[in-house]
Amino acid sequence: MAAHVRRVFGAASAAGLLLALGPAAVAATPPPRVERISTATDGSELTAASGGGVISGDGRCAVFSSADPEGGIDTRLYLKDLRTGRLTQVPEDLVYTTGPMLSGDGRYVAYSNGNRYPKPYVYDRVTGRTELLWPEEPQDTSYELGTAAAISSDGRHVAYTLGNRHGDDYARVLHVRDLGTGTDRQISPLPAEGMILNAWLSADGRTVAYSVAARTGQGTEGRIHVVRDGHESDIGSGFSATLVRLSDDGRSALFNAMAADLTTTAYFQDLRTGRVRQAAGTAAVAADGSLRHVLLSGDGGLDLLALPSGRRHPVAPAGATALPRAVDRAGHAVVFSSPAADLVPYDTNGVPDVFVRRLN
């Protein structure tokens, strides 16, 4: 790997570099390009700050949230067709909406909505139906809130947490809704010893992985659980670990682990053999479905690490942020939020926007 990677954020600069390499290089490797997602269908700017962008597995659509342009507490949840540029809005009245995520083909949108008592929902773009995710007979009737946690690539299964407003009780149990049958399954028979974070489902929904963060005398300890066909195991043993992503086939996982000196390192674990290996010497933010393209965050911005070559592709400058579902299935597109006004022409709204960088 080169000692220094030059960051090329202008499409014109990247194109000039490829032209210097010759016509064959231009034809074989189109230059990376950035497009702004948080715009109206006609391309005009949105006046309110936007963020929380994620992309569908097939890379054809994205979803992001935007503040009320009138300054109220309402949130707008928008869907962007990345082929046509068409912008639509999730039709419900939304307040403090968080955690939007898309199925592989973008048909289903899962999200949490509400202020003191958020609830998890899934919206079907084809039927226009919105469904509350909540078991008919919860194990504990005192649960008062919930959050959407994960959605399978095939769109059939959605994971969600339940809990209360008291400390680690916020997300104590994890359920999975089968949208085909309407049934709910509690993943762990007992409440987690801590707060459930960062759940993921395999593409077919059979494998569930999730992090649990628990307070100890030495601080916060993180552990990752994997459940497949009713059998549970732990990964990242010996680490203070946080799940980043489960592979689509459910056979491997990417997680971050924090050392005693507070440095964070990204690791892979093969769930069949238990073998753990380092992915990068810094924190991972997201990855594609095969875990061959890993989005890394550092002081200089966001980079996409391509494995096994080890090549790092610049994605976004310093100050940019991304969510765990920011990379498409093939690692060809990355969605991120940034306050920078020089990533695309005519960015004059003076607020953070959501962008997609295409690397192929």
Side-chain angles (χ1 to χ4, degrees):
M1 186 186 300
H4 299 282
V5 179
R6 183 183 178 187
R7 294 182 176 274
V8 182
F9 289 103
S13 298
L17 177 62
L18 288 171
L19 285 171
L21 297 175
V26 175
T29 311
R33 62 191 187 278
V34 174
E35 302 167 12
R36 183 161 46 162
I37 294 175
S38 52
T39 58
T41 300
D42 62 5
S44 60
E45 297 184 314
L46 299 182
T47 59
S50 300
V54 297
I55 193 168
S56 60
D58 59 17
R60 295 183 176 182
C61 60
V63 61
F64 65 93
S65 58
S66 189
D68 183 352
E70 302 300 325
I73 64 172
D74 293 348
T75 305
R76 306 289 191 269
L77 193 60
Y78 291 110
L79 294 150
K80 190 66 170 283
D81 188 317
L82 299 181
R83 295 170 298 175
T84 67
R86 182 170 179 256
L87 187 74
T88 57
Q89 185 177 335
V90 173
E92 283 70 38
D93 294 330
L94 305 177
V95 180
Y96 294 113
T97 304
T98 59
M101 57 196 74
L102 288 162
S103 58
D105 61 2
R107 172 174 174 172
Y108 295 97
V109 186
Y111 60 92
S112 308
N113 180 43
N115 184 5
R116 297 178 64 193
Y117 301 93
K119 297 289 175 63
Y121 299 88
V122 61
Y123 169 62
D124 186 338
R125 297 176 60 198
V126 173
T127 65
R129 181 171 178 258
T130 298
E131 189 173 329
L132 172 66
L133 301 171
W134 203 273
E136 288 188 8
E137 298 181 0
Q139 185 183 59
D140 189 334
T141 57
S142 71
Y143 294 139
E144 56 191 356
L145 52 82
T147 58
I151 187 168
S152 62
S153 182
D154 64 10
R156 174 156 181 165
H157 300 88
V158 185
Y160 62 95
T161 64
L162 298 180
N164 300 293
R165 290 173 294 144
H166 311 293
D168 289 344
D169 287 346
Y170 191 87
R172 294 298 308 280
V173 295
L174 185 70
H175 284 75
V176 172
R177 166 73 57 88
D178 185 326
L179 297 179
T181 64
T183 56
D184 296 274
R185 175 170 58 99
Q186 184 169 321
I187 299 305
S188 178
L190 299 172
E193 295 181 357
M195 188 162 68
I196 296 172
L197 305 170
N198 295 14
W200 274 93
L201 294 168
S202 59
D204 60 7
R206 291 182 60 191
T207 304
V208 187
Y210 62 97
S211 305
V212 176
R215 296 188 182 97
T216 66
Q218 289 73 39
T220 301
E221 178 180 310
R223 185 163 294 278
I224 301 170
H225 303 276
V226 179
V227 181
R228 182 173 179 84
D229 299 331
H231 301 285
E232 182 170 335
S233 60
D234 292 350
I235 67 174
S237 179
F239 296 100
S240 179
T242 303
L243 179 70
V244 176
R245 198 194 200 288
L246 181 70
S247 62
D248 281 346
D249 60 14
R251 296 179 179 179
S252 55
L254 172 68
F255 65 92
N256 289 325
M258 183 176 291
D261 61 0
L262 303 184
T263 58
T264 301
T265 304
Y267 294 91
F268 296 112
Q269 180 157 342
D270 187 316
L271 302 183
R272 297 166 297 178
T273 66
R275 178 172 175 254
V276 178
R277 59 189 175 91
Q278 183 174 316
T282 185
V285 179
D288 68 351
S290 65
L291 305 187
R292 293 181 179 178
H293 297 85
V294 180
L295 187 65
L296 304 175
S297 176
D299 294 339
L302 301 173
D303 291 325
L304 193 67
L305 174 64
L307 299 171
S309 70
R311 183 181 178 188
R312 292 173 71 133
H313 301 272
V315 170
T321 58
L323 297 178
R325 292 165 176 83
V327 183
D328 71 353
R329 184 185 300 122
H332 293 164
V334 182
V335 170
F336 62 93
S337 303
S338 175
D342 58 354
L343 297 180
V344 296
Y346 312 112
D347 187 346
T348 61
N349 60 6
V351 296
D353 282 298
V354 181
F355 303 86
V356 58
R357 178 172 283 276
R358 299 191 182 279
L359 299 160
N360 190 300

